[in-house]
Amino acid sequence: MSRTEEFEELRPLLFAIAYRILGSVSEAEDAVQEAWLRWEAVETRPASTKAYLSAVVTRISIDVLRSARVRREEYVGPWFPEPLLNDPYEDPERSAELADSLSMAALVLLERLTPLERAVFVLRDVFGFGFPEIASAVDRSESACRQLAVRARRHMEAGRPRFEADRKERDELAGRFFDAFREGDVDGLRALLAGDVQMVGDGGGKAPQWARAIVGAENVSRLLVALAEPFGLIGVVAEPHEVNGQPGVIFRDRDGKVINIMAIDIADGHVQTIRSVINPEKLTHVGPVADAWAVMREANRARRSEAEVE
């Protein structure tokens, strides 16, 4: 197998590691590309290409995360990861860990960890690497890595999100939720929302967003209907799509441009959390991005015109 073929075979794994450490599609892709450049420059092939490249992309990701954390501390409003529509890496033996670690809730929780804790947790608990490999990847002793893993696991367990165990039931409920949204059915939405449901938006100061989380089934259901009706009038389409391994939807304007992406957490037969990513800088990897401010202005005009007719 050629050097290029070896790398391409491992690319899905490398991206999956980098994305979980960084929470950014664009930064993960850059980390993988940098790993390729370093791989090209290696004169002697390592004993294990997988271990070597995983270590390289991990070190690159840790360095990127350290600088990114400063920007995230200054971020305007809630910070969510860049939505991932399709995880390129599959491993049937670790499918549960892979799915749980990919959710927006888990990635937001990972932000509580230090870069080293995050990297060790991802390599150990998500991808099942041994401590000798992890120690080499993060340049720490095996003993130190075990301690990092314990601390990371403690933080993650304390806030671990709950998800609907039965995937079929989850997807069926999500379908009913999005149908009720499109139909502007307040009662239907309210019945599907947990009493303490939260709806949170990430605009990063670059797009319309709520000043704070919207809390409670009554408030959230009425807000969703208030959005759905004018959106329908101006040709906005809600396109169902799995987002970070959870049910979600991509909102597109009449020209097919992306307005925002919404993901929902479902547990105990109800929608627990709704996260909306509308920061245009986090959507460019999905396709051309709409001007969300212009969309909202048009929607408001349509709402007023409809009210005047009535």
Side-chain angles (χ1 to χ4, degrees):
M1 185 182 293
S2 71
R3 179 171 293 215
T4 300
E5 288 172 333
E6 280 187 287
F7 187 89
E8 289 304 321
E9 186 174 273
L10 289 167
R11 182 186 288 274
L13 170 63
L14 302 179
F15 175 85
I17 291 172
Y19 178 75
R20 284 165 174 81
I21 294 175
L22 293 167
S24 165
V25 173
S26 54
E27 289 175 347
E29 289 173 342
D30 288 345
V32 172
Q33 183 60 26
E34 177 63 25
W36 162 249
L37 295 175
R38 296 188 189 184
W39 174 237
E40 273 194 311
V42 172
E43 295 182 1
T44 305
R45 290 197 182 188
S48 169
T49 303
K50 176 184 176 182
Y52 174 81
L53 285 172
S54 297
V56 169
V57 85
T58 296
R59 291 188 204 114
I60 293 168
S61 298
I62 289 172
D63 288 343
V64 173
L65 182 59
R66 282 175 174 150
S67 62
R69 285 172 75 88
V70 176
R71 298 195 303 274
R72 291 177 191 178
E73 287 171 2
E74 300 170 350
Y75 196 78
V76 178
W79 178 92
F80 294 152
E82 289 183 7
L84 184 65
L85 303 185
N86 298 293
D87 186 3
Y89 181 71
E90 296 180 3
D91 182 351
E93 293 183 3
R94 306 198 67 81
S95 59
E97 294 91 340
L98 288 169
D100 285 351
S101 66
L102 191 64
S103 72
M104 283 204 172
L107 289 169
V108 169
L109 198 55
L110 279 168
E111 287 289 301
R112 299 182 185 180
L113 308 183
T114 67
L116 279 178
E117 288 172 345
R118 187 164 179 165
V120 169
F121 180 85
V122 167
L123 292 176
R124 180 63 180 171
D125 284 46
V126 180
F127 294 98
F129 280 80
F131 280 109
E133 295 171 302
I134 296 171
S136 173
V138 302
D139 195 25
R140 294 291 188 279
S141 68
E142 287 186 42
S143 175
C145 288
R146 291 179 188 277
Q147 292 176 345
L148 287 165
V150 169
R151 287 204 300 269
R153 210 169 287 134
R154 189 183 302 129
H155 283 301
M156 294 299 288
E157 289 295 339
R160 186 176 293 279
R162 295 174 299 116
F163 299 116
E164 191 68 58
D166 189 304
R167 189 184 183 93
K168 183 178 179 181
E169 289 182 13
R170 181 201 74 177
D171 292 346
E172 189 272 335
L173 190 149
R176 286 193 284 133
F177 171 79
F178 289 122
D179 285 345
F181 170 75
R182 279 188 289 266
E183 293 165 6
D185 180 359
V186 174
D187 293 334
L189 285 168
R190 190 188 301 112
L192 296 170
L193 298 172
D196 59 351
V197 62
Q198 291 194 31
M199 186 168 176
V200 192
D202 173 357
K206 303 177 187 299
Q209 69 184 81
W210 307 289
R212 59 181 65 86
I214 311 302
V215 182
E218 183 68 26
N219 293 332
V220 171
S221 60
R222 292 196 176 281
L223 174 60
L224 287 170
V225 169
L227 291 171
E229 292 175 348
F231 274 7
L233 294 172
I234 64 172
V236 171
V237 174
E239 176 186 298
H241 203 295
E242 195 166 87
V243 178
N244 288 73
Q246 300 297 317
V249 66
I250 303 171
F251 288 92
R252 299 183 185 273
D253 68 9
R254 66 169 70 88
D255 299 319
K257 293 181 178 179
V258 179
I259 302 168
N260 72 308
I261 292 180
M262 183 184 288
I264 61 175
D265 294 343
I266 295 174
D268 302 327
H270 290 88
V271 175
Q272 306 288 334
T273 310
I274 303 170
R275 295 182 179 84
S276 174
V277 179
I278 196 168
N279 183 341
E281 294 180 354
K282 294 186 176 184
L283 302 172
T284 55
H285 62 285
V286 179
V289 180
D291 180 344
W293 293 108
V295 171
M296 289 305 298
R297 286 194 296 271
E298 185 180 0
N300 287 331
R301 285 196 298 270
R303 181 192 288 120
R304 288 193 296 269
S305 296
E306 187 76 2
E308 289 171 2
V309 171
E310 293 176 357

